[in-house]
Amino acid sequence: MAFDRSIKIAPSILSADFADFGREIRAIEDQGADWVHVDVMDGHFVPNLTFGPPAVKAFRRHVTTVMDVHLMIAPVDPYIDAYAEAGADILTAHVEAGPHIHRTLQAIRGAGMKAGVALNPGTPAEAVAHLLDLADLVCVMTVNPGFGGQKFIDMTGKIARLREMIGDRPVHVEIDGGVDAQTAPLVVRAGADVLVAGSAVFRGGSVDAPEVYGENIRAIRAAAGAA
Ligand code: DX5
Ligand code: ZN
């Protein structure tokens, strides 16, 4: 996985058909997804429950791009090895998930994955000031995590501040929540390079009509490119 700052669209399979993940993953990749975003929720850090390591390991068999695993769980550290074993390429933990995010990021890299750190909307950019040499990705949440399909919260000031703090470091700025063709240009202008999108990619399509996923991905990419 060589680092570059080109725009990457990462569909969140939280909006896929939960009875058909293999075909859903293959459909979004065929239709132009750059990464596959997997939202792991524990019913404790966020009020929703999704995928444990065995489910993520099963997704891995279908992912040929990059499996980007977003942990919305607390604690994180006891599960790092299990998600490494499940085949995550990038493992992202929330800065709010515990007092030792610094150690968590070291452990994620130590387990052979790229390390991401996510910020809830209420958390300032400065929360990651001492973590930027330990992180490969900073994920700026533009919704309060837990559910797909929520309204975008404007965090452009925070995104711009993070880009400035990151400087020349090879660190991605990922935006997660409410990203669509309307909001993508705002976040790209502010400095984002990875756009997670759930409902805006899956809306209107299905494994039997996957070309709609392609149209949705291209619409977001075109809007981002015109930023
Ligand atoms: C929110 C998740 C997101 C979510 C994005 O808790 O982390 O990845 O699935 O979904 P949309 O794009 O529908 O806001
Ligand atoms: Zn996510």
Side-chain angles (χ1 to χ4, degrees), residues 18 37 41 47 51 53 65 81 100 120 134 137 139 158 173 200 204:
F18 272 39
H37 185 83
M41 306 185 184
F51 317 120
T65 56
D81 288 344
H100 298 296
N120 280 335
L134 292 171
L137 174 149
C139 174
K158 191 197 287 190
V173 176

Side-chain angles (χ1 to χ4, degrees), residues 10 12 14 37-41 68-72 94 139 141 143 145-146 174-177 196:
S12 164
L14 191 61
H37 185 83
V38 178
D39 285 307
V40 173
M41 306 185 184
D68 173 34
V69 178
H70 176 194
L71 297 182
M72 287 159 276
H94 270 260
C139 174
M141 295 304 302
V143 297
E174 175 178 78
I175 309 302
D176 190 1
V196 175

Side-chain angles (χ1 to χ4, degrees), residues 53-138:
V56 174
K57 189 172 186 174
F59 303 156
R60 175 78 258 183
R61 301 205 313 270
H62 304 279
V63 176
T64 64
T65 56
V66 170
M67 190 162 72
D68 173 34
V69 178
H70 176 194
L71 297 182
M72 287 159 276
I73 69 173
V76 171
D77 294 12
Y79 300 101
I80 291 173
D81 288 344
Y83 284 101
E85 216 261 314
D89 294 300
I90 304 171
L91 195 67
T92 296
H94 270 260
V95 74
E96 306 86 2
H100 298 296
I101 183 69
H102 188 283
R103 178 161 61 209
T104 298
L105 295 175
Q106 286 177 322
I108 292 172
R109 281 188 171 173
M113 296 172 284
K114 300 280 186 197
V117 58
L119 298 166
N120 280 335
T123 303
E126 281 63 30
V128 300
H130 301 285
L131 303 172
L132 294 173
D133 291 318
L134 292 171
D136 302 289
L137 174 149
V138 178

Side-chain angles (χ1 to χ4, degrees), residues 30-49:
D30 285 349
Q31 295 296 326
D34 298 292
W35 293 3
V36 175
H37 185 83
V38 178
D39 285 307
V40 173
M41 306 185 184
D42 68 351
H44 163 75
F45 182 71
V46 290
N48 196 3
L49 272 171

Side-chain angles (χ1 to χ4, degrees), residues 32 103 127 133 135 160 177 183 186 206 218:
R103 178 161 61 209
D133 291 318
T183 56
L186 305 175
S206 72
R218 285 192 295 280

Side-chain angles (χ1 to χ4, degrees), residues 124-214:
E126 281 63 30
V128 300
H130 301 285
L131 303 172
L132 294 173
D133 291 318
L134 292 171
D136 302 289
L137 174 149
V138 178
C139 174
V140 179
M141 295 304 302
T142 40
V143 297
N144 285 294
F147 304 95
Q150 302 184 81
K151 193 175 162 347
F152 177 81
I153 303 168
D154 190 342
M155 291 280 138
T156 46
K158 191 197 287 190
I159 297 164
R161 175 79 189 111
L162 279 164
R163 273 297 314 140
E164 189 179 286
M165 288 163 63
I166 288 167
D168 292 336
R169 295 178 180 89
V171 179
H172 296 291
V173 176
E174 175 178 78
I175 309 302
D176 190 1
V179 174
D180 60 18
Q182 278 67 52
T183 56
L186 305 175
V187 299
V188 168
R189 237 177 276 138
D193 64 301
V194 184
L195 306 179
V196 175
S199 40
V201 167
F202 286 89
R203 185 178 301 137
S206 72
V207 288
D208 298 318
E211 61 285 350
V212 178
Y213 298 160

